[in-house]
Amino acid sequence: DKAVALSGIDVLGKTMKVQYALGKPDVPKQEEQTYKSSEVSNGGKKGKKEVYSPKPNKENMTEEQQKLLDGYTFTKVYMHGLPFNATEDDVRTFLQHCGDIKNIKFVLQEDGRSTGRMIVEFQKIGGAKSALLLNNEVFDSTERYVVVRQWTDNPVHRGKNGQENQQQRASIKKPEGCREVHIRNLSSDVDEKIIRATFEKKCGTIDHVSFIKDKETKKFAGYGYIRFKKTESTDKAVKMTGVQILGKSARINYALASSEKSDNDAKQKPLSKKPEGCKDVYIGGLSSSITQEDVRDLFKDCGEIEEVILSMDNETVRCKGFGHIRFKETESTDKAVEIRGTFFMGRFIKVDYSASKKKKGKNSSSAKGGGKSKSKTDKGAEAEQRKKRKKNKKVKEETNDAK
């Protein structure tokens, strides 16, 4: 009882599920329970398993089950908890008393291994209803029970008998003027072309697609952001949650900023006075996963960009959240600052005029005179000081290690 009470706790980033184990059911009559033997590998040894095919109990249905079946209009059911080595024939044996099966689709991992989950489609709705009555029935002689859930066009995590889990994350409320959606559960093979082909025709013009990489491995993390030209497009995109992209059901929701500040709050911050001939702008509030290509794509309509500089963390090699853009023409900065407050890659970005650093001329001299260029003198002195500080730091570290 105490163990079952722990169901739902987080273990190493996953929600653990605990239920009472069901014993092997009694088989009073051979015709009520049939078996199918198939080979299964256990620790390198070949053995035999018996797959059961229980009959749906339609006579002793609970009021809750009856209510579920009365309103069920799908020919599909979702099954999970199956043995990883279960075959299509095993599943057909288990469901043989439910009705004619049209198709069985295994849900596989990226490397092709089984997840123990599948979608079963029957020829008729009655077959799917019968299958739902086999929820928590024992699958085979290993005393492994399976879960049979109701199917929905927009799949969500559901609990026993298909009832929606109250602890699952609630649908995100759309921020005012939101033009960006967060999309997750993507295949590692997905690219921008596939995303545009999936959403652009049904939802509207896409301005930008960004994919997020894992902080440690630097590999695709399985999620990203889609920014549309119009806010109405996000409503259509969110309704597409569950759409199959390269064999995986995408999860889509409105993108939110890390803080609770609104788009209007970001825009209300006063701009700095534009310096004469200014060609640089400061950009802040950036995602740590942003790249120079992302910045260029966001500001491409402002004018020709000469340089993008992002402040990077030396250890993680990820953006610190701010940077600068240098344009070829000063008029481009006026267009760039109009983008401030835009929701981009999960953040409301900041844009402001930035004063360009003036370079010393060739004829500039030091305050003491002497005819030598001040910039060269200072540069040599600073380099020498840095070298000296680095040496002192190394000696200090070696001394501490010795102690």
Side-chain angles (χ1 to χ4, degrees):
D1 297 330
K2 294 179 181 178
V4 172
L6 294 175
S7 183
I9 67 172
D10 185 80
V11 179
L12 297 178
K14 290 195 173 185
T15 302
M16 182 175 70
K17 297 181 180 179
V18 187
Q19 289 185 348
Y20 298 105
L22 302 179
K24 182 176 178 179
D26 295 330
V27 189
K29 296 181 181 180
Q30 181 66 25
E31 61 269 21
E32 292 182 0
Q33 193 90 357
T34 58
Y35 302 91
K36 175 180 180 296
S37 297
S38 58
E39 291 187 348
V40 54
S41 176
N42 292 316
K45 297 179 180 181
K46 291 285 184 176
K48 294 287 184 178
K49 68 176 180 180
E50 295 176 321
V51 178
Y52 304 141
S53 54
K55 288 185 177 181
N57 189 354
K58 298 181 180 180
E59 295 180 357
N60 299 320
M61 285 191 298
T62 64
E63 184 178 344
E64 187 178 7
Q65 288 176 322
Q66 186 65 57
K67 185 177 180 181
L68 171 64
L69 297 187
D70 287 344
Y72 200 70
T73 58
F74 295 102
T75 57
K76 297 179 182 179
V77 294
Y78 177 72
M79 297 178 63
H80 74 82
L82 294 157
F84 290 150
N85 51 22
T87 66
E88 182 174 329
D89 288 339
D90 293 339
V91 177
R92 289 183 180 276
T93 297
F94 180 75
L95 299 172
Q96 70 176 358
H97 295 301
C98 298
D100 294 332
I101 296 175
K102 182 178 180 180
N103 182 47
I104 296 177
K105 182 179 180 180
F106 286 82
V107 180
L108 303 176
Q109 298 183 37
E110 291 182 7
D111 58 5
R113 291 182 298 166
S114 172
T115 62
R117 303 175 182 179
M118 63 185 58
I119 300 166
V120 181
E121 183 179 5
F122 290 87
Q123 295 286 357
K124 297 180 180 180
I125 296 176
K129 290 183 177 181
S130 297
L132 290 173
L133 295 175
L134 299 183
N135 183 42
N136 284 333
E137 286 285 348
V138 178
F139 184 78
D140 58 23
S141 55
T142 62
E143 298 186 2
R144 187 186 190 102
Y145 66 90
V146 295
V147 176
V148 185
R149 295 176 177 174
Q150 67 185 66
W151 172 260
T152 172
D153 284 334
N154 295 321
V156 294
H157 295 291
R158 296 183 179 272
K160 190 175 181 180
N161 294 327
Q163 297 303 311
E164 188 171 342
N165 186 354
Q166 298 298 323
Q167 295 181 349
Q168 73 177 359
R169 193 175 85 167
S171 179
I172 294 176
K173 184 179 180 181
K174 180 181 179 179
E176 185 179 353
C178 174
R179 294 194 297 124
E180 197 165 52
V181 295
H182 177 253
I183 180 168
R184 57 193 177 91
N185 196 36
L186 295 172
S187 167
S188 58
D189 296 324
V190 75
D191 56 27
E192 183 174 344
K193 186 177 180 180
I194 294 174
I195 294 296
R196 287 183 177 274
T198 304
F199 292 93
E200 208 150 29
K201 288 184 179 180
K202 296 181 179 180
C203 303
T205 305
I206 294 175
D207 274 350
H208 183 76
V209 177
S210 57
F211 299 111
I212 307 303
K213 294 182 179 181
D214 185 270
K215 293 181 180 179
E216 297 180 357
T217 65
K218 311 302 179 186
K219 294 181 179 180
F220 178 48
Y223 69 96
Y225 296 90
I226 307 173
R227 182 163 53 86
F228 292 94
K229 192 169 185 179
K230 296 181 179 179
T231 181
E232 295 81 7
S233 298
T234 59
D235 301 326
K236 298 176 182 178
V238 169
K239 290 180 180 179
M240 288 181 65
T241 189
V243 64
Q244 291 288 316
I245 301 178
L246 296 181
K248 301 188 75 173
S249 296
R251 302 288 182 266
I252 309 162
N253 222 325
Y254 299 108
L256 295 177
S258 57
S259 66
E260 295 181 354
K261 293 182 179 181
S262 67
D263 190 355
N264 291 332
D265 291 335
K267 287 186 176 181
Q268 285 172 3
K269 288 189 176 183
L271 276 172
S272 301
K273 185 179 179 180
K274 180 179 179 180
E276 186 178 353
C278 174
K279 295 182 180 180
D280 294 13
V281 294
Y282 163 84
I283 49 175
L286 303 174
S287 166
S288 60
S289 301
I290 200 168
T291 64
Q292 289 189 6
E293 290 72 22
D294 294 328
V295 175
R296 287 181 178 276
D297 188 67
L298 179 62
F299 289 88
K300 63 184 179 182
D301 295 331
C302 298
E304 185 177 345
I305 297 174
E306 288 190 344
E307 187 178 20
V308 175
I309 301 175
L310 296 177
S311 181
M312 309 297 286
D313 186 281
N314 292 330
E315 294 183 0
T316 64
V317 198
R318 292 167 69 86
C319 180
K320 291 183 179 179
F322 64 93
H324 291 81
I325 305 173
R326 168 163 289 185
F327 292 94
K328 189 173 183 179
E329 304 292 340
T330 182
E331 292 79 15
S332 299
T333 60
D334 299 325
K335 297 178 181 178
V337 295
E338 292 179 0
I339 296 179
R340 64 194 181 111
T342 296
F343 196 66
F344 185 67
M345 294 182 69
R347 303 285 185 89
F348 288 114
I349 67 169
K350 304 172 185 177
V351 187
D352 202 352
Y353 296 111
S354 176
S356 302
K357 294 182 179 180
K358 295 181 179 180
K359 297 181 180 180
K360 298 287 182 180
K362 292 182 179 180
N363 298 325
S364 61
S365 59
S366 64
K368 294 181 180 180
K372 291 185 178 181
S373 172
K374 181 179 178 181
S375 59
K376 290 183 180 180
T377 303
D378 290 345
K379 185 177 180 181
E382 288 177 2
E384 188 65 30
Q385 289 177 0
R386 283 197 299 270
K387 188 176 181 180
K388 192 174 181 180
R389 284 196 298 268
K390 189 175 181 180
K391 184 178 180 180
N392 292 339
K393 185 178 179 181
K394 186 176 181 180
V395 172
K396 187 176 180 180
E397 288 176 350
E398 291 175 350
T399 303
N400 291 335
D401 290 342
K403 289 181 180 179

